[in-house]
Structure formats: structure tokens, C-alpha cells
Amino acid sequence: AAEWKQAGDGTSPLKILGRGRGTVVISGGWTIGDAAAVSCERLSFAGKVAVVKGRDVAFRNCTFFDRSGGGFEAGNVSGLAVEHCVFAGVTLDLGKSTGVRLGGNLHGFEAGPAVRMASAEAILHADYSAYQDSKRCWQVGGADRSLAEVQKRHEIHSHVLVPQFARDGGVPRLVN
């Protein structure tokens, strides 16, 4: 696994982008120690991604998958955005992050809640996502919440979708 101890200085945005038509796969896990104004876009992560702490961090149009179930873990990030991402068989763990924006994500995790967080107050905005399990969408402070419960305050336009994935070069691709 790769470790990046300090990512970005916060004065100018740092972007890590996939480009062209090909799929960019980062294998073996990735840990970012202290991130400031960092954005990752159009990347596929075949291992656990962990942002230990930081501010103004964004993951957009990314795919997270790992046969060991690593997923994405944000320990303590202020101003985290996770938008239009695919979680194939892994969770999104927000830890103690704050000011979180979630939108348009596809959660294909069947072994438990798709999104985990310490407190629902962490969420600034969450909507337009798809969840595999309507009974266990979020886990807040250790308690599972159904989509109906979550929709009382967030995820108004979100819905249930049982995703079917095919592997394209080892990377999950939605087929339904």
C-alpha cells in the first residue's frame, strides 16, 4: 500500500485525474495522511483508500472495489465530497468527518450498511444515490438506518438498485 503523508498545501487545488478513454487503476491500497484541497477524479481503486485527516477533499467519478472489502475510509476530514462514485462490494466509512457532501453514488454492498458515520450531523447534503439494501443503507453511531429513515432528512431522491457488475479489465462495470 502507498502512503502519502501530506497531500496539498491548501493554497492551490491539487487534482489527480484519470484521462483519456482508458481506466486508471490504483492497486494495493492508498493512505493519505493529511490532505488539503485535494481532488481525485476518474480513478479506480483496487484496494482500501484511507484519508486519515484533512480538509476540502473530493472523490468524483471514482470506483472503489477490493476483494478483501477495504473500501473507502475517511477518518477525520472537514469538507469531504464523494460524488458520482461506485462502491462495488465495499463500504464508504466517513468516520468522524464533518461537512460531508454525498451525491449520485452507487452502493453495491450487500454484507451490511453501505455508508457508515459517527454522527448524521456530519452530512451537509446527501441525495440521488442508489443503495442495494433498503433496510441497511446507513449506519450512524453503530445503529443501522433504513432508506426510509434516512429519507426523512437526506437522500430524498435516492432509491434501491441491486447492481449487477461485470469485470472489464478487472474493474467492475455496471451492466443493469
Side-chain angles (χ1 to χ4, degrees):
E3 183 177 358
W4 194 1
K5 294 189 180 193
Q6 186 170 357
D9 60 11
T11 59
S12 59
L14 174 62
K15 292 189 174 198
I16 303 166
L17 307 169
R19 61 176 278 212
R21 291 181 178 238
T23 301
V24 177
V25 179
I26 298 175
S27 299
W30 193 31
T31 300
I32 303 172
D34 191 5
V38 174
S39 175
C40 295
E41 299 180 25
R42 294 192 63 239
L43 303 171
S44 295
F45 296 95
K48 180 180 179 179
V49 174
V51 181
V52 178
K53 68 178 182 171
R55 63 183 171 81
D56 303 322
V57 176
F59 284 81
R60 294 185 178 96
N61 296 307
C62 292
T63 299
F64 300 90
F65 64 102
D66 182 10
R67 288 175 182 82
S68 65
F72 180 92
E73 182 180 301
N76 190 1
V77 179
S78 173
L80 175 67
V82 181
E83 300 166 331
H84 304 285
C85 293
V86 173
F87 295 86
V90 297
T91 62
L92 168 59
D93 189 340
L94 302 174
K96 294 182 179 179
S97 295
T98 59
V100 177
R101 294 180 319 277
L102 305 174
N105 297 308
L106 173 61
H107 298 278
F109 186 66
E110 59 190 36
V115 181
R116 296 180 175 161
M117 65 197 81
S119 167
E121 301 305 315
I123 305 296
L124 280 180
H125 174 80
D127 208 355
Y128 296 100
S129 293
Y131 292 92
Q132 180 162 338
D133 184 350
S134 67
K135 292 184 175 74
R136 300 181 299 171
C137 289
W138 287 9
Q139 186 178 79
V140 181
D144 291 355
R145 300 228 176 131
S146 69
L147 183 56
E149 290 173 291
V150 171
Q151 286 180 320
K152 291 177 183 174
R153 187 162 173 209
H154 300 287
E155 304 282 12
I156 304 299
H157 300 96
S158 296
H159 61 278
V160 173
L161 171 71
V162 178
Q164 297 172 358
F165 294 106
R167 295 283 174 161
D168 185 7
V171 179
R173 181 179 47 83
L174 187 66
V175 294
N176 63 332

